[in-house]
Amino acid sequence: MTRHYDVIVIGSGAGGGTLFHALAPTGKRILLLERGDYVPREKDNWSTKAVNLEGKYATRESWRDGEGRELHPHTNYGVGGNTKFYGAALFRMRREDFGELKHWGGVSPAWPMTYEEMEPYYTRAEHLYQVRGERGVDPTDPPASAPYRHGPVSHEPRIQQLSDDFARLGLRPFHVPLGVMLDERDRHTSACIRCDTCDGHPCLVSAKSDAQVICVDPALAYPNAMLLTGAYVKRLETSASGRQVSRVIVERGGEVETYSADIVVVSAGAINSAALLLRSANDRHPRGLANGSDVVGRHYMGHVNSVLMALSKCPNPTVFQKTLALNDFYFGSSDWPHPMGHISFVGKLDAYTLRGGAPAIAPGWTLELMARHSLDFWLTSEDLPDPDNRVTLDREGRIVLSYTPNNEEAHRRLTGTLRELMKQQTRCGVHGHECHEGLFARSLYLGQRIPLAGVAHQNGTIRFGVDPATSALDVHCRAHEVDNLYVVDGSFFPSSAAVNPALTIMANALRVGDHLRARLGA
Ligand SMILES: Cc1cc2nc3c(=O)[nH]c(=O)nc-3n(C[C@H](O)[C@H](O)[C@H](O)COP(=O)(O)OP(=O)(O)OC[C@H]3O[C@@H](n4cnc5c(N)ncnc54)[C@H](O)[C@@H]3O)c2cc1C
Ligand code: SF4
């Protein structure tokens, strides 16, 4: 028997969880289907050994790369999706990112909407996810219609010193906008305890603004909103005309179940959503559901990212390191007129995490020593949409991710710029300029050295646009070819910008939520 709902949402992460929350008050019957379970609350949530070295909560799924080699993706299936593990750096895309931008490596195409159209939803998403930040310090900060509701998370002394050094050099360092429920004026009652296992870890005390804590759990208080966990959506079937999704085929507890809904929203993450549409090919949609354009699965982007450790003879005792960022080189510099990207931090690395990433060991250092003395930078440059960087399925239906890096010169320039900046730090009172030993690259990918496995920032595989020949979704993120099918995860991005993607996914889900409320008459 097929059970019918007003809306089915597939995937409970940044996109799906936020949309579920937006629609729950409508009184419409909404079903959220999530392939994973709740991440268990246990001490291992905060164990870098369990999380980073052993990959306790990561999927064991095996994909293939374009050469047919096995690929173990660094991604998580559970209620809240990857936001359970994210660093909660919640950035708006820059206003210019919505237009066309020329990069050294090619063109970053324009979005089919302006920043001004997205702005109200950014504000709503920042308020919903309780972002802590400060407007107007970041030189590339786009205009906002309202302030953050909470002031920025403070720097610890070593990070403040670095910020002062950058400012002394004429740069404009700023506080990372963060979704952590930290009250620094009243640490005694603060939900967040400011720990060193935030980025990459679930929050044991539910003080990180993730999609489960902020959206899914509160939405479930509405009797019309339901969640099924362990519900893997295998396929979507259509009506005879191909214009409607008629059945959602789910594998759950070893059984096959079918559901249907007036509106079906796919939000399984950019790779799994593309795979689901490709798996759902039928006579009316021979190349995959909603894929007359042949763009589904193409233009995969994941950002050009590096973790760079700056080693000093002086230790870095910072607990919560991810508070400082630099966007001075986002659009280029006086001697290189192309966008370079964004400089910020990862959570403080420790020896277990380093062991998982198999870094190059600096001469004369151990991993423990490196971890105690490093500043651990996160550098992001824009990944440009290439139709040959794509998700496909192999004959057994397994995910294949083919990818050739691009725009790498921008990233090299960004790295070189940071290297120069680090040489100009304040003389240390103990070691003088000899204190700063230099930058060492580290692969972040757990237990292996395949950079492609780092799919944390996946986006772009089901792009939205005005032309059905070159996009799969219209501006409301509805499939051009299937009237009741929407996609609200990171798939819809036509370009990836160079800031973290989650806030844009959340804001867009709120935007699509308004459209669906109007469509449902709710
Ligand atoms: C370690 C880490 C740190 C990060 N830090 C940041 C950060 O600081 N700032 C930032 O902006 N971003 C960050 N990100 C990225 C951010 O988490 C993602 O951009 C965001 O979660 C993507 O949202 P989504 O809705 O597209 O997909 P997801 O959040 O991945 O949600 C997809 C959901 O769909 C479910 N699903 C998949 N397939 C199926 C299926 N067939 N049937 C049913 N359910 C399915 C999955 O289990 C998952 O719950 C980080 C990611 C990681 C892994
Ligand atoms: S307590 Fe705060 S810093 Fe620690 S994981 Fe939770 S939100 Fe992050």
PDB file of all heavy atoms in Angstrom, residues 70-99:
ATOM      1  N   GLU A  70      38.683   2.481  -6.144  1.00  0.00           N
ATOM      2  CA  GLU A  70      37.778   2.581  -5.009  1.00  0.00           C
ATOM      3  C   GLU A  70      37.937   3.922  -4.291  1.00  0.00           C
ATOM      4  O   GLU A  70      39.058   4.412  -4.129  1.00  0.00           O
ATOM      5  CB  GLU A  70      38.068   1.435  -4.042  1.00  0.00           C
ATOM      6  CG  GLU A  70      36.892   1.117  -3.193  1.00  0.00           C
ATOM      7  CD  GLU A  70      37.036  -0.235  -2.512  1.00  0.00           C
ATOM      8  OE1 GLU A  70      38.174  -0.766  -2.438  1.00  0.00           O
ATOM      9  OE2 GLU A  70      36.013  -0.734  -2.045  1.00  0.00           O
ATOM     10  N   LEU A  71      36.828   4.484  -3.851  1.00  0.00           N
ATOM     11  CA  LEU A  71      36.832   5.799  -3.200  1.00  0.00           C
ATOM     12  C   LEU A  71      35.951   5.713  -1.962  1.00  0.00           C
ATOM     13  O   LEU A  71      34.783   5.337  -2.062  1.00  0.00           O
ATOM     14  CB  LEU A  71      36.238   6.787  -4.197  1.00  0.00           C
ATOM     15  CG  LEU A  71      36.178   8.254  -3.852  1.00  0.00           C
ATOM     16  CD1 LEU A  71      37.576   8.838  -3.819  1.00  0.00           C
ATOM     17  CD2 LEU A  71      35.349   8.994  -4.908  1.00  0.00           C
ATOM     18  N   HIS A  72      36.518   6.025  -0.793  1.00  0.00           N
ATOM     19  CA  HIS A  72      35.712   6.016   0.441  1.00  0.00           C
ATOM     20  C   HIS A  72      35.399   7.459   0.815  1.00  0.00           C
ATOM     21  O   HIS A  72      36.252   8.164   1.333  1.00  0.00           O
ATOM     22  CB  HIS A  72      36.459   5.301   1.565  1.00  0.00           C
ATOM     23  CG  HIS A  72      36.563   3.836   1.317  1.00  0.00           C
ATOM     24  ND1 HIS A  72      35.486   2.993   1.462  1.00  0.00           N
ATOM     25  CD2 HIS A  72      37.583   3.075   0.878  1.00  0.00           C
ATOM     26  CE1 HIS A  72      35.844   1.757   1.132  1.00  0.00           C
ATOM     27  NE2 HIS A  72      37.118   1.784   0.770  1.00  0.00           N
ATOM     28  N   PRO A  73      34.182   7.892   0.513  1.00  0.00           N
ATOM     29  CA  PRO A  73      33.885   9.318   0.683  1.00  0.00           C
ATOM     30  C   PRO A  73      33.848   9.730   2.139  1.00  0.00           C
ATOM     31  O   PRO A  73      33.351   8.988   2.989  1.00  0.00           O
ATOM     32  CB  PRO A  73      32.487   9.453   0.062  1.00  0.00           C
ATOM     33  CG  PRO A  73      31.868   8.100   0.196  1.00  0.00           C
ATOM     34  CD  PRO A  73      33.002   7.125   0.078  1.00  0.00           C
ATOM     35  N   HIS A  74      34.363  10.912   2.409  1.00  0.00           N
ATOM     36  CA  HIS A  74      34.289  11.460   3.759  1.00  0.00           C
ATOM     37  C   HIS A  74      32.963  12.210   3.867  1.00  0.00           C
ATOM     38  O   HIS A  74      32.886  13.433   3.682  1.00  0.00           O
ATOM     39  CB  HIS A  74      35.486  12.381   4.002  1.00  0.00           C
ATOM     40  CG  HIS A  74      35.420  13.076   5.322  1.00  0.00           C
ATOM     41  ND1 HIS A  74      36.028  14.281   5.569  1.00  0.00           N
ATOM     42  CD2 HIS A  74      34.782  12.745   6.454  1.00  0.00           C
ATOM     43  CE1 HIS A  74      35.766  14.656   6.804  1.00  0.00           C
ATOM     44  NE2 HIS A  74      35.007  13.738   7.359  1.00  0.00           N
ATOM     45  N   THR A  75      31.891  11.449   4.113  1.00  0.00           N
ATOM     46  CA  THR A  75      30.578  12.067   4.251  1.00  0.00           C
ATOM     47  C   THR A  75      29.765  11.272   5.268  1.00  0.00           C
ATOM     48  O   THR A  75      30.136  10.135   5.604  1.00  0.00           O
ATOM     49  CB  THR A  75      29.868  12.174   2.880  1.00  0.00           C
ATOM     50  OG1 THR A  75      28.749  13.047   2.989  1.00  0.00           O
ATOM     51  CG2 THR A  75      29.402  10.825   2.357  1.00  0.00           C
ATOM     52  N   ASN A  76      28.705  11.889   5.766  1.00  0.00           N
ATOM     53  CA  ASN A  76      27.981  11.313   6.906  1.00  0.00           C
ATOM     54  C   ASN A  76      26.499  11.200   6.590  1.00  0.00           C
ATOM     55  O   ASN A  76      25.889  12.149   6.089  1.00  0.00           O
ATOM     56  CB  ASN A  76      28.153  12.233   8.130  1.00  0.00           C
ATOM     57  CG  ASN A  76      29.619  12.505   8.419  1.00  0.00           C
ATOM     58  OD1 ASN A  76      30.292  11.701   9.041  1.00  0.00           O
ATOM     59  ND2 ASN A  76      30.123  13.626   7.924  1.00  0.00           N
ATOM     60  N   TYR A  77      25.921  10.054   6.901  1.00  0.00           N
ATOM     61  CA  TYR A  77      24.493   9.841   6.700  1.00  0.00           C
ATOM     62  C   TYR A  77      23.814   9.753   8.059  1.00  0.00           C
ATOM     63  O   TYR A  77      24.053   8.809   8.820  1.00  0.00           O
ATOM     64  CB  TYR A  77      24.246   8.537   5.921  1.00  0.00           C
ATOM     65  CG  TYR A  77      24.854   8.524   4.523  1.00  0.00           C
ATOM     66  CD1 TYR A  77      25.429   7.360   4.011  1.00  0.00           C
ATOM     67  CD2 TYR A  77      24.836   9.661   3.732  1.00  0.00           C
ATOM     68  CE1 TYR A  77      25.972   7.342   2.737  1.00  0.00           C
ATOM     69  CE2 TYR A  77      25.389   9.655   2.454  1.00  0.00           C
ATOM     70  CZ  TYR A  77      25.948   8.494   1.968  1.00  0.00           C
ATOM     71  OH  TYR A  77      26.492   8.480   0.705  1.00  0.00           O
ATOM     72  N   GLY A  78      22.990  10.727   8.373  1.00  0.00           N
ATOM     73  CA  GLY A  78      22.296  10.707   9.657  1.00  0.00           C
ATOM     74  C   GLY A  78      21.362  11.896   9.739  1.00  0.00           C
ATOM     75  O   GLY A  78      21.375  12.775   8.861  1.00  0.00           O
ATOM     76  N   VAL A  79      20.558  11.950  10.786  1.00  0.00           N
ATOM     77  CA  VAL A  79      19.619  13.065  10.953  1.00  0.00           C
ATOM     78  C   VAL A  79      20.433  14.357  11.145  1.00  0.00           C
ATOM     79  O   VAL A  79      21.293  14.425  12.020  1.00  0.00           O
ATOM     80  CB  VAL A  79      18.671  12.809  12.145  1.00  0.00           C
ATOM     81  CG1 VAL A  79      17.710  13.988  12.307  1.00  0.00           C
ATOM     82  CG2 VAL A  79      17.898  11.507  11.948  1.00  0.00           C
ATOM     83  N   GLY A  80      20.152  15.348  10.305  1.00  0.00           N
ATOM     84  CA  GLY A  80      20.947  16.582  10.309  1.00  0.00           C
ATOM     85  C   GLY A  80      22.002  16.576   9.205  1.00  0.00           C
ATOM     86  O   GLY A  80      22.646  17.595   8.961  1.00  0.00           O
ATOM     87  N   GLY A  81      22.204  15.426   8.579  1.00  0.00           N
ATOM     88  CA  GLY A  81      23.165  15.325   7.471  1.00  0.00           C
ATOM     89  C   GLY A  81      24.555  15.760   7.899  1.00  0.00           C
ATOM     90  O   GLY A  81      24.984  15.561   9.042  1.00  0.00           O
ATOM     91  N   ASN A  82      25.261  16.381   6.994  1.00  0.00           N
ATOM     92  CA  ASN A  82      26.645  16.780   7.284  1.00  0.00           C
ATOM     93  C   ASN A  82      26.739  17.966   8.237  1.00  0.00           C
ATOM     94  O   ASN A  82      27.814  18.255   8.753  1.00  0.00           O
ATOM     95  CB  ASN A  82      27.393  17.049   5.975  1.00  0.00           C
ATOM     96  CG  ASN A  82      27.837  15.745   5.351  1.00  0.00           C
ATOM     97  OD1 ASN A  82      28.670  15.022   5.900  1.00  0.00           O
ATOM     98  ND2 ASN A  82      27.239  15.387   4.222  1.00  0.00           N
ATOM     99  N   THR A  83      25.604  18.630   8.507  1.00  0.00           N
ATOM    100  CA  THR A  83      25.693  19.731   9.479  1.00  0.00           C
ATOM    101  C   THR A  83      25.982  19.207  10.885  1.00  0.00           C
ATOM    102  O   THR A  83      26.422  19.965  11.742  1.00  0.00           O
ATOM    103  CB  THR A  83      24.405  20.589   9.510  1.00  0.00           C
ATOM    104  OG1 THR A  83      23.325  19.813  10.033  1.00  0.00           O
ATOM    105  CG2 THR A  83      24.041  21.119   8.133  1.00  0.00           C
ATOM    106  N   LYS A  84      25.731  17.913  11.149  1.00  0.00           N
ATOM    107  CA  LYS A  84      26.085  17.367  12.473  1.00  0.00           C
ATOM    108  C   LYS A  84      27.596  17.470  12.696  1.00  0.00           C
ATOM    109  O   LYS A  84      28.068  17.473  13.825  1.00  0.00           O
ATOM    110  CB  LYS A  84      25.671  15.885  12.591  1.00  0.00           C
ATOM    111  CG  LYS A  84      24.208  15.608  12.773  1.00  0.00           C
ATOM    112  CD  LYS A  84      23.558  16.305  13.944  1.00  0.00           C
ATOM    113  CE  LYS A  84      23.971  15.898  15.333  1.00  0.00           C
ATOM    114  NZ  LYS A  84      23.309  16.781  16.357  1.00  0.00           N
ATOM    115  N   PHE A  85      28.338  17.488  11.594  1.00  0.00           N
ATOM    116  CA  PHE A  85      29.804  17.417  11.678  1.00  0.00           C
ATOM    117  C   PHE A  85      30.471  18.704  11.226  1.00  0.00           C
ATOM    118  O   PHE A  85      31.682  18.833  11.310  1.00  0.00           O
ATOM    119  CB  PHE A  85      30.306  16.240  10.813  1.00  0.00           C
ATOM    120  CG  PHE A  85      29.821  14.927  11.335  1.00  0.00           C
ATOM    121  CD1 PHE A  85      28.565  14.453  10.993  1.00  0.00           C
ATOM    122  CD2 PHE A  85      30.589  14.197  12.221  1.00  0.00           C
ATOM    123  CE1 PHE A  85      28.091  13.259  11.525  1.00  0.00           C
ATOM    124  CE2 PHE A  85      30.124  13.009  12.750  1.00  0.00           C
ATOM    125  CZ  PHE A  85      28.867  12.539  12.405  1.00  0.00           C
ATOM    126  N   TYR A  86      29.672  19.653  10.758  1.00  0.00           N
ATOM    127  CA  TYR A  86      30.312  20.813  10.133  1.00  0.00           C
ATOM    128  C   TYR A  86      30.952  21.734  11.174  1.00  0.00           C
ATOM    129  O   TYR A  86      30.753  21.575  12.381  1.00  0.00           O
ATOM    130  CB  TYR A  86      29.370  21.549   9.185  1.00  0.00           C
ATOM    131  CG  TYR A  86      28.256  22.411   9.729  1.00  0.00           C
ATOM    132  CD1 TYR A  86      27.552  23.242   8.852  1.00  0.00           C
ATOM    133  CD2 TYR A  86      27.874  22.425  11.057  1.00  0.00           C
ATOM    134  CE1 TYR A  86      26.517  24.055   9.296  1.00  0.00           C
ATOM    135  CE2 TYR A  86      26.839  23.241  11.498  1.00  0.00           C
ATOM    136  CZ  TYR A  86      26.174  24.055  10.606  1.00  0.00           C
ATOM    137  OH  TYR A  86      25.161  24.860  11.042  1.00  0.00           O
ATOM    138  N   GLY A  87      31.744  22.682  10.649  1.00  0.00           N
ATOM    139  CA  GLY A  87      32.405  23.638  11.533  1.00  0.00           C
ATOM    140  C   GLY A  87      31.525  24.829  11.838  1.00  0.00           C
ATOM    141  O   GLY A  87      31.962  25.746  12.545  1.00  0.00           O
ATOM    142  N   ALA A  88      30.317  24.859  11.276  1.00  0.00           N
ATOM    143  CA  ALA A  88      29.317  25.900  11.551  1.00  0.00           C
ATOM    144  C   ALA A  88      29.790  27.305  11.190  1.00  0.00           C
ATOM    145  O   ALA A  88      29.330  28.280  11.769  1.00  0.00           O
ATOM    146  CB  ALA A  88      28.848  25.827  13.007  1.00  0.00           C
ATOM    147  N   ALA A  89      30.736  27.414  10.248  1.00  0.00           N
ATOM    148  CA  ALA A  89      31.105  28.727   9.702  1.00  0.00           C
ATOM    149  C   ALA A  89      30.032  29.078   8.686  1.00  0.00           C
ATOM    150  O   ALA A  89      29.935  28.424   7.640  1.00  0.00           O
ATOM    151  CB  ALA A  89      32.479  28.649   9.036  1.00  0.00           C
ATOM    152  N   LEU A  90      29.197  30.059   9.000  1.00  0.00           N
ATOM    153  CA  LEU A  90      28.005  30.297   8.189  1.00  0.00           C
ATOM    154  C   LEU A  90      28.124  31.632   7.443  1.00  0.00           C
ATOM    155  O   LEU A  90      27.724  32.685   7.937  1.00  0.00           O
ATOM    156  CB  LEU A  90      26.757  30.210   9.078  1.00  0.00           C
ATOM    157  CG  LEU A  90      26.508  28.766   9.577  1.00  0.00           C
ATOM    158  CD1 LEU A  90      25.372  28.698  10.583  1.00  0.00           C
ATOM    159  CD2 LEU A  90      26.235  27.817   8.416  1.00  0.00           C
ATOM    160  N   PHE A  91      28.688  31.531   6.254  1.00  0.00           N
ATOM    161  CA  PHE A  91      28.965  32.700   5.413  1.00  0.00           C
ATOM    162  C   PHE A  91      27.893  32.909   4.356  1.00  0.00           C
ATOM    163  O   PHE A  91      27.402  31.951   3.768  1.00  0.00           O
ATOM    164  CB  PHE A  91      30.282  32.485   4.641  1.00  0.00           C
ATOM    165  CG  PHE A  91      31.520  32.714   5.449  1.00  0.00           C
ATOM    166  CD1 PHE A  91      32.175  31.649   6.048  1.00  0.00           C
ATOM    167  CD2 PHE A  91      32.033  33.991   5.599  1.00  0.00           C
ATOM    168  CE1 PHE A  91      33.331  31.852   6.791  1.00  0.00           C
ATOM    169  CE2 PHE A  91      33.195  34.204   6.336  1.00  0.00           C
ATOM    170  CZ  PHE A  91      33.841  33.135   6.933  1.00  0.00           C
ATOM    171  N   ARG A  92      27.614  34.198   4.082  1.00  0.00           N
ATOM    172  CA  ARG A  92      26.861  34.530   2.876  1.00  0.00           C
ATOM    173  C   ARG A  92      27.816  34.476   1.690  1.00  0.00           C
ATOM    174  O   ARG A  92      28.997  34.823   1.837  1.00  0.00           O
ATOM    175  CB  ARG A  92      26.328  35.962   2.953  1.00  0.00           C
ATOM    176  CG  ARG A  92      25.342  36.168   4.053  1.00  0.00           C
ATOM    177  CD  ARG A  92      24.931  37.637   4.161  1.00  0.00           C
ATOM    178  NE  ARG A  92      23.919  37.767   5.206  1.00  0.00           N
ATOM    179  CZ  ARG A  92      22.858  38.547   5.144  1.00  0.00           C
ATOM    180  NH1 ARG A  92      22.667  39.326   4.097  1.00  0.00           N
ATOM    181  NH2 ARG A  92      21.970  38.587   6.115  1.00  0.00           N
ATOM    182  N   MET A  93      27.321  34.088   0.527  1.00  0.00           N
ATOM    183  CA  MET A  93      28.130  34.313  -0.663  1.00  0.00           C
ATOM    184  C   MET A  93      28.265  35.816  -0.860  1.00  0.00           C
ATOM    185  O   MET A  93      27.425  36.597  -0.401  1.00  0.00           O
ATOM    186  CB  MET A  93      27.462  33.677  -1.895  1.00  0.00           C
ATOM    187  CG  MET A  93      27.711  32.189  -1.984  1.00  0.00           C
ATOM    188  SD  MET A  93      26.848  31.309  -3.315  1.00  0.00           S
ATOM    189  CE  MET A  93      26.667  32.492  -4.595  1.00  0.00           C
ATOM    190  N   ARG A  94      29.330  36.221  -1.520  1.00  0.00           N
ATOM    191  CA  ARG A  94      29.523  37.644  -1.775  1.00  0.00           C
ATOM    192  C   ARG A  94      28.512  38.110  -2.830  1.00  0.00           C
ATOM    193  O   ARG A  94      28.115  37.320  -3.693  1.00  0.00           O
ATOM    194  CB  ARG A  94      30.943  37.931  -2.300  1.00  0.00           C
ATOM    195  CG  ARG A  94      32.075  37.217  -1.549  1.00  0.00           C
ATOM    196  CD  ARG A  94      32.257  37.672  -0.141  1.00  0.00           C
ATOM    197  NE  ARG A  94      31.452  36.963   0.842  1.00  0.00           N
ATOM    198  CZ  ARG A  94      31.498  37.189   2.147  1.00  0.00           C
ATOM    199  NH1 ARG A  94      32.307  38.097   2.627  1.00  0.00           N
ATOM    200  NH2 ARG A  94      30.733  36.513   2.981  1.00  0.00           N
ATOM    201  N   ARG A  95      28.167  39.391  -2.805  1.00  0.00           N
ATOM    202  CA  ARG A  95      27.218  39.891  -3.800  1.00  0.00           C
ATOM    203  C   ARG A  95      27.709  39.582  -5.222  1.00  0.00           C
ATOM    204  O   ARG A  95      26.956  39.151  -6.087  1.00  0.00           O
ATOM    205  CB  ARG A  95      27.099  41.408  -3.613  1.00  0.00           C
ATOM    206  CG  ARG A  95      26.136  42.054  -4.545  1.00  0.00           C
ATOM    207  CD  ARG A  95      26.292  43.565  -4.459  1.00  0.00           C
ATOM    208  NE  ARG A  95      25.014  44.239  -4.449  1.00  0.00           N
ATOM    209  CZ  ARG A  95      24.841  45.450  -3.966  1.00  0.00           C
ATOM    210  NH1 ARG A  95      25.843  46.093  -3.425  1.00  0.00           N
ATOM    211  NH2 ARG A  95      23.662  46.017  -4.020  1.00  0.00           N
ATOM    212  N   GLU A  96      29.033  39.776  -5.454  1.00  0.00           N
ATOM    213  CA  GLU A  96      29.603  39.561  -6.791  1.00  0.00           C
ATOM    214  C   GLU A  96      29.529  38.102  -7.221  1.00  0.00           C
ATOM    215  O   GLU A  96      29.542  37.793  -8.409  1.00  0.00           O
ATOM    216  CB  GLU A  96      31.075  40.010  -6.820  1.00  0.00           C
ATOM    217  CG  GLU A  96      31.310  41.492  -6.591  1.00  0.00           C
ATOM    218  CD  GLU A  96      31.325  41.897  -5.108  1.00  0.00           C
ATOM    219  OE1 GLU A  96      30.876  41.109  -4.240  1.00  0.00           O
ATOM    220  OE2 GLU A  96      31.788  43.007  -4.812  1.00  0.00           O
ATOM    221  N   ASP A  97      29.473  37.175  -6.246  1.00  0.00           N
ATOM    222  CA  ASP A  97      29.417  35.751  -6.588  1.00  0.00           C
ATOM    223  C   ASP A  97      28.128  35.402  -7.342  1.00  0.00           C
ATOM    224  O   ASP A  97      28.061  34.372  -8.014  1.00  0.00           O
ATOM    225  CB  ASP A  97      29.490  34.885  -5.323  1.00  0.00           C
ATOM    226  CG  ASP A  97      30.875  34.878  -4.712  1.00  0.00           C
ATOM    227  OD1 ASP A  97      31.861  34.884  -5.477  1.00  0.00           O
ATOM    228  OD2 ASP A  97      30.976  34.854  -3.471  1.00  0.00           O
ATOM    229  N   PHE A  98      27.106  36.245  -7.205  1.00  0.00           N
ATOM    230  CA  PHE A  98      25.852  35.983  -7.910  1.00  0.00           C
ATOM    231  C   PHE A  98      25.931  36.401  -9.385  1.00  0.00           C
ATOM    232  O   PHE A  98      25.095  36.018 -10.192  1.00  0.00           O
ATOM    233  CB  PHE A  98      24.677  36.698  -7.218  1.00  0.00           C
ATOM    234  CG  PHE A  98      24.241  36.012  -5.945  1.00  0.00           C
ATOM    235  CD1 PHE A  98      24.979  36.131  -4.777  1.00  0.00           C
ATOM    236  CD2 PHE A  98      23.096  35.220  -5.924  1.00  0.00           C
ATOM    237  CE1 PHE A  98      24.592  35.491  -3.608  1.00  0.00           C
ATOM    238  CE2 PHE A  98      22.699  34.575  -4.763  1.00  0.00           C
ATOM    239  CZ  PHE A  98      23.449  34.707  -3.600  1.00  0.00           C
ATOM    240  N   GLY A  99      26.939  37.221  -9.728  1.00  0.00           N
ATOM    241  CA  GLY A  99      27.143  37.598 -11.123  1.00  0.00           C
ATOM    242  C   GLY A  99      28.253  36.758 -11.736  1.00  0.00           C
ATOM    243  O   GLY A  99      28.805  35.868 -11.091  1.00  0.00           O
TER     244      GLY A  99
END
